[in-house]
Amino acid sequence: MVKFTETNIINETSSNLKYYDYNKTRSNLPFQIALYLNLWLFPIWLIISIINLDAKYNNLSNIYKLIAVTIFLILSIFESLKLYLGYAGNLIGKIPELTSCWLISILIQLPLEMYLLFDYWILFHYSEILVNSFMVCLLFIEIITGMIALKNLANHHAKVFYLMHLYGIRTNDG
C-alpha cells in the first residue's frame, strides 16, 4: 500500500511542473507569421529603397539628402535587429528580446516609416509607396500581435514562477 505524504505530492507535482509547464514553448503563431512575412519583405524593401534613393538623390535638397540616407540606414539596421530579437523572443520564449523587438517597432520604426510614407517633399516613386505601405501595415500587425505575445509570455512566466515558489522548487539556472 502506497502512503501519500506531503513530500511525495510535492515531488510528483514538481516533476510534472518541470516537464509540462516550465519547458513548454509559448510562441505566438500570428506574431511568428508576421515576422516571417517581414523576413521575406525586408530584402525587397531594401532593394527598392536603394534603387529609388539612388534615382532621386540628385533631385533632393541637401537637408533631404541627409534625412533620406539617415532614415534608410537607421531603418535597415534596426529592421534586421528587430527580426533577430523577434525570432529569439518568440521562439525561445525570452521576454527581454520580445520586449526589445516590440519597442524597436513602436519607438523607432513606426515614426520613421510613417515619415517616409507621408512626407511629400521626398519625391516618391510608386514602387516606394507600395513597399512602404506594406511595411507600415505589417508593422501595425507586428505591434498588435507582439503586444499579445508579450502579454501571454509574461503571464506564463509569472504562473511558472508562482507555482515554483508555492511548491518550493529550485531550478538549476542559478
Side-chain angles (χ1 to χ4, degrees), residues 95-139:
I95 293 176
E97 282 83 353
L98 193 57
T99 305
S100 299
C101 171
W102 191 69
L103 287 174
I104 286 172
S105 296
I106 288 181
L107 298 177
I108 297 172
Q109 285 190 314
L110 187 63
L112 293 178
E113 285 284 348
M114 296 300 271
Y115 177 79
L116 283 179
L117 191 60
F118 293 122
D119 186 28
Y120 59 90
W121 290 104
I122 291 193
L123 305 173
F124 289 117
H125 292 99
Y126 292 114
S127 60
E128 191 175 19
I129 293 172
L130 182 68
V131 171
N132 283 335
S133 298
F134 279 130
M135 288 295 279
V136 167
C137 290
L138 199 55
L139 197 56

Side-chain angles (χ1 to χ4, degrees), residues 156-174:
H156 171 70
H157 279 279
K159 286 177 188 175
V160 168
F161 173 76
Y162 289 134
L163 286 173
M164 291 175 70
H165 184 67
L166 178 68
Y167 291 112
I169 301 170
R170 303 273 185 231
T171 61
N172 295 334
D173 295 341

Side-chain angles (χ1 to χ4, degrees), residues 16-26 156 160 163:
N16 289 341
L17 181 70
K18 284 181 183 177
Y19 180 72
Y20 290 112
D21 287 336
Y22 189 69
N23 291 328
K24 276 189 178 177
T25 305
R26 297 288 184 200
H156 171 70
V160 168
L163 286 173

Side-chain angles (χ1 to χ4, degrees), residues 79-94:
E79 181 71 27
S80 56
L81 180 65
K82 181 192 80 163
L83 288 173
Y84 169 74
L85 291 172
Y87 270 98
N90 194 32
L91 292 179
I92 300 172
K94 294 187 174 185

